[in-house]
Amino acid sequence: MAESFETTISSINDRNGQARDLQRAAARQQGNKENNALNNVFKKIAEIGEKLQVNRNVVQSAQWAYKIAEDKKYVRGKGSKDTDAAIAACIILGCRRFKVDRSLLEVAQFTGIEKKKIGKMLLALGPVINRELGDKNPMAVASKGEQSTRSLIARYINYLGLDNDVNKAAQYIAERAGDQEGVVGRSPVSIAAGVLYFAVLLYDRADDLEKASAKEIAKIANVSDGTIKQ
């Protein structure tokens, strides 16, 4: 059986220097493991970024943020759930840096991590990343601004594979419905989901009705069927 370099190697040199050589090999082996682990995290960030349909700048920024978090011991040695929460938080920080509109809820859905855990990690990592940047603004945690109903509609349509006709109709409805009774005060997510469902019903095309049923829209927007129909 091949010996593992994971065991502690004595620092006492023998005549031919084998102990020293083994120490160096062990250090290289450990370094490779750390690099492989980091590469796996970077790959996961890229995969989630692709699902969220964010650009390369956001992905690279998230990877960079994770590396800082790891160097500062925020994730090293912790469990996989903490690592995944850090990944999710870094993706949100990357989005905020480049002003890409992705919510904590969306990131939670695509990573499978609870919003509360992501939020906790976000509050811990945000100031650390900001200090590294020497700037309080690029990855600020405190404020993000309300998501645009229209941008949410566009993303939901893209996720569901609907065509531009439905998009135009939904955008028009959203614009005209903004000040209507029963709409004012509702969240952009609820409005976007309801407006999209209304637009699909107006076109009354079998394929659209199947792809964008109230249930499917509710799943993507993370709201109830009842909220959409109301």
Side-chain angles (χ1 to χ4, degrees):
M1 180 182 294
E3 294 184 1
S4 171
F5 282 137
E6 291 180 358
T7 56
T8 301
I9 299 169
S10 172
S11 60
I12 301 174
N13 287 324
D14 56 17
R15 292 181 182 178
N16 58 14
Q18 285 183 341
R20 184 176 63 251
D21 292 338
L22 285 171
Q23 279 184 306
R24 290 174 178 172
R28 287 196 300 270
Q29 184 77 358
Q30 184 63 32
N32 288 337
K33 287 180 180 178
E34 291 179 1
N35 286 336
N36 287 337
L38 189 60
N39 286 335
N40 288 336
V41 169
F42 283 4
K43 183 178 179 181
K44 188 168 185 177
I45 289 173
E47 289 172 350
I48 296 170
E50 185 176 352
K51 291 177 182 178
L52 285 166
Q53 299 177 346
V54 297
N55 60 41
R56 184 180 178 185
N57 287 336
V58 170
V59 170
Q60 290 181 337
S61 184
Q63 292 168 338
W64 175 81
Y66 184 90
K67 182 64 170 63
I68 291 175
E70 187 180 76
D71 290 344
K72 298 294 182 180
K73 313 295 185 183
Y74 276 83
V75 291
R76 186 173 294 172
K78 295 184 179 181
S80 60
K81 289 184 179 179
D82 287 322
T83 299
D84 288 342
I87 288 172
C90 288
I91 289 171
I92 292 174
L93 289 171
C95 287
R96 291 181 183 180
R97 186 181 187 192
F98 289 96
K99 298 181 180 179
V100 174
D101 192 17
R102 297 294 183 275
S103 68
L104 192 152
L105 176 60
E106 284 181 281
V107 175
Q109 287 177 316
F110 281 106
T111 59
I113 305 299
E114 294 178 7
K115 286 170 56 179
K116 185 177 180 180
K117 290 182 179 178
I118 299 174
K120 186 177 180 180
M121 185 65 75
L122 192 60
L123 289 172
L125 293 184
V128 176
I129 303 303
N130 289 339
R131 283 196 296 270
E132 287 294 316
L133 286 174
D135 190 329
K136 293 183 180 180
N137 295 320
M139 291 191 174
V141 174
S143 62
K144 176 176 179 289
E146 282 290 344
Q147 281 188 293
S148 156
T149 297
R150 298 183 69 175
S151 70
L152 285 168
I153 289 171
R155 290 214 300 280
Y156 295 164
I157 283 175
N158 195 28
Y159 292 148
L160 293 166
L162 302 174
D163 62 28
N164 196 44
D165 289 339
V166 177
N167 181 44
K168 288 180 179 179
Q171 298 289 357
Y172 177 79
I173 295 166
E175 183 179 351
R176 299 298 288 268
D179 58 355
Q180 297 298 309
E181 184 179 352
V183 174
V184 176
R186 291 188 176 273
S187 73
V189 172
S190 297
I191 297 171
V195 164
L196 178 55
Y197 184 59
F198 186 39
V200 169
L201 290 178
L202 284 176
Y203 272 93
D204 194 25
R205 295 185 297 215
D207 188 43
D208 289 346
L209 290 169
E210 182 178 352
K211 290 190 293 187
S213 64
K215 183 178 180 180
E216 290 301 318
I217 296 173
K219 189 186 302 181
I220 288 176
N222 200 31
V223 297
S224 68
D225 294 15
T227 297
I228 292 176
K229 292 176 180 178
Q230 185 179 1

